[in-house]
Amino acid sequence: MPKLFIQPAPAQNDEQSSDLTVQFYKLHCQRIGAMKRHLTIPAENEAVFLWTLKSFNAFTFIPYCIEQYGTIDELCLSTYTISRKITDTLVQLIDSGKLKDVHVFVSESLKFRMPDVINQLNAVLPSRPNFRVHYAWNHSKITCAKCGNHHLVLEGSGNWSDNAQYEQYLLTNSKEVYEFRKKNICPVE
């Protein structure tokens, strides 16, 4: 995969970055406490509709799945944008074994809009073969999480960033939908 070289962002030491990542993840774990009162994982071939305001973004689904199942075997996500906090947290979850395989399909414009995210990805991807990123002119927002025999697909308006406002989501538990969406967002390598 060719690298895009961009002016480096202000440096953070590894300890600061790790502390911020842990705090970020804990915040989302707190958010799922409220979610659990209103959301259960749908049964096979069922769907749940969600309407959220600020407290939930697409990333919140990841700690929710990890709490429910322990690990996510395969994560395929498609988004227009992704924040540095989220990519840092994905790396830590991969390194801790909570995420086994991750594929991110993100908009090509991220290279120009958020060079610090690109720099961070260029630094971490070569040493993590189970973390891949694909760029294209993308605006879709889909998350596929395979957790054991569960094939969860979260679709909706929320990006993988911290600017969630009113967002709508559809959560399904369907192997057929999972494979269809995965085929669209994870190109064969």
Side-chain angles (χ1 to χ4, degrees), residues 23-38:
Q23 290 172 1
F24 178 76
Y25 189 76
K26 284 182 180 179
L27 171 67
H28 283 272
C29 287
Q30 291 168 354
R31 290 177 179 171
I32 63 174
M35 278 178 57
K36 289 192 296 188
R37 290 191 303 270
H38 305 289

Side-chain angles (χ1 to χ4, degrees), residues 137-168:
W137 290 106
N138 178 40
H139 199 260
S140 65
K141 290 133 185 120
I142 303 166
T143 303
C144 299
K146 182 174 182 260
C147 307
N149 293 325
H150 299 275
H151 294 83
L152 306 173
V153 179
L154 181 72
E155 301 184 29
S157 60
N159 279 301
W160 282 64
S161 61
D162 284 335
N163 64 347
Q165 297 297 317
Y166 285 104
E167 307 290 352
Q168 99 287 342

